[in-house]
Amino acid sequence: HAFVLMGNHYHLLLETPEANLVAGMKWLQGTYTQRFNTRHKLCGHLFQGRYKAMPVDASTGGYFSTVGSYIHLNPARAGLFDLNSGKLVNYRWSSFPLYLRPSVRPDWLVVERVFGELGVQDDRSGLSWYRTYMTKRVLEIASTADRQDADEDWSKIRRGWYLGSDHFRDELIDRLDEVVKGCKRSSLHGREITLHDEAEAERLLLRGLEKLGLALDDLEALPKGLSEKGVLAWLLRKNTTVSRAWISGKLHMGDESRITKLVADVEKSSRYDDLKQLIIDS
């Protein structure tokens, strides 16, 4: 649906008819590495570490168009061309120029999903509208102090583990629960366990915040040692295996060493009992 190649990484928005993403990405990265090394007379690994995969809700909410725009606007956020010109089409290592030129667009590049969520047709009028729309998005980025925060949904893509509705999130967690229940934990790969535990931690965090009358966006502005943050950290450490760094990042608590001390205080001190009981009931 969309792609962009940056200086040291790439982004893909793709959809698979079968649950074969791992095999597909192994083939893609392996084949690309072989051809790149052959062309440039190199050898060895080309990619560092495992790719990050984020499930996207394709049923509701315009999430495909959100991710499509996020990918196409990556060169703008990185300042890889003159932003004041608004000419995103000048960045050639992207599917965006192909969106605008059906005559040279490859068959495997599917634009209907992104266009459909934006309410436009893949015709002359629709393509003109899309070019104008994306030009405006580039100019918005150019006029924003922090290019990464020009769109509030982008932080969900950068920092989250899924993009979609609460119902979609719950479906993913249920599927992960079935995977974990149906297998010996030792037989699962580390990535599967991590994904499951992070999903469970995310669920507990959101429900705990609701009970405390807080929102995820509130956490950054609140004091690092706030009692409510301590109780949430205690809840996550007690019920999941996510790392202190994960918890500290989610709760905006600064140095992860703070987590250990604060969790111990919550465990021992009675002054946290009311807050503990409140989120335990969640």
Side-chain angles (χ1 to χ4, degrees):
H1 297 277
F3 70 85
V4 66
L5 178 63
M6 304 293 284
N8 61 356
H9 67 282
Y10 67 90
H11 293 271
L12 283 174
L13 173 58
L14 54 86
E15 191 171 11
T16 62
E18 300 176 13
N20 57 357
L21 177 64
V22 173
M25 290 302 298
K26 181 179 180 181
W27 174 86
L28 174 64
Q29 297 201 142
T31 301
Y32 185 83
T33 297
Q34 290 174 7
R35 294 182 180 179
F36 183 92
N37 286 346
T38 298
R39 180 176 182 179
H40 297 280
K41 298 180 180 180
L42 299 172
C43 63
H45 295 288
L46 180 61
F47 298 102
Q48 180 180 6
R50 189 186 188 278
Y51 63 90
K52 176 185 176 181
M54 170 181 284
V56 178
D57 187 351
S59 60
T60 59
Y63 299 109
F64 257 71
S65 61
T66 297
V67 178
S69 294
Y70 175 83
I71 290 174
H72 284 155
L73 290 168
N74 243 314
R77 289 195 300 278
L80 298 183
F81 61 93
D82 180 9
L83 298 187
N84 291 320
S85 73
K87 292 184 178 180
L88 184 61
V89 71
N90 288 347
Y91 190 81
R92 59 180 295 194
W93 307 108
S94 164
S95 56
F96 178 71
L98 298 173
Y99 263 58
L100 302 179
R101 298 182 62 194
S103 62
V104 297
R105 188 190 302 154
D107 292 339
W108 50 262
L109 181 58
V110 179
V111 303
E112 287 78 11
R113 175 84 76 174
V114 172
F115 280 167
E117 290 188 350
L118 291 171
V120 299
Q121 298 294 320
D122 186 16
D123 54 23
R124 183 185 297 272
S125 175
L127 296 178
S128 176
W129 182 92
Y130 187 60
R131 179 194 288 268
T132 301
Y133 167 74
M134 292 298 284
T135 297
K136 289 179 179 178
R137 298 299 305 271
V138 171
L139 296 176
E140 287 174 5
I141 293 172
S143 64
T144 303
D146 187 347
R147 296 172 184 165
Q148 298 297 331
D149 290 333
D151 188 319
E152 62 180 16
D153 287 328
W154 291 347
S155 63
K156 300 175 185 177
I157 298 174
R158 293 197 310 272
R159 301 169 187 168
W161 63 272
Y162 76 98
L163 184 67
S165 64
D166 290 346
H167 177 69
F168 180 65
R169 179 200 64 212
D170 292 341
E171 281 188 343
L172 291 175
I173 292 174
D174 288 342
R175 292 183 185 182
L176 287 166
D177 284 339
E178 289 302 315
V179 170
V180 173
K181 290 176 184 176
C183 302
K184 292 182 179 179
R185 194 176 179 91
S186 60
S187 70
L188 296 173
H189 296 291
R191 176 62 181 170
E192 292 168 330
I193 291 297
T194 299
L195 184 58
H196 174 268
D197 290 343
E198 288 183 1
E200 177 63 12
E202 189 92 21
R203 183 186 66 82
L204 286 172
L205 174 58
L206 292 175
R207 293 188 180 181
L209 286 168
E210 183 180 1
K211 287 292 183 178
L212 294 171
L214 298 172
L216 197 60
D217 293 340
D218 297 333
L219 294 174
E220 186 172 6
L222 293 172
K224 293 181 174 64
L226 188 72
S227 295
E228 284 80 355
K229 288 189 176 183
V231 172
L232 288 169
W234 167 81
L235 179 72
L236 298 176
R237 291 292 281 176
K238 183 179 178 65
N239 293 283
T240 74
T241 60
V242 293
S243 67
R244 293 182 306 164
W246 190 95
I247 295 173
S248 179
K250 284 290 183 180
L251 299 180
H252 297 278
M253 297 180 72
D255 192 324
E256 64 186 65
S257 62
R258 181 189 302 270
I259 301 293
T260 302
K261 182 179 184 303
L262 201 49
V263 167
D265 288 345
V266 173
E267 189 72 42
K268 297 175 183 178
S269 176
S270 60
R271 71 187 183 92
Y272 294 98
D273 285 350
D274 289 344
L275 288 175
K276 287 164 65 175
Q277 191 60 48
L278 188 62
I279 63 172
I280 287 173
D281 290 342
S282 66

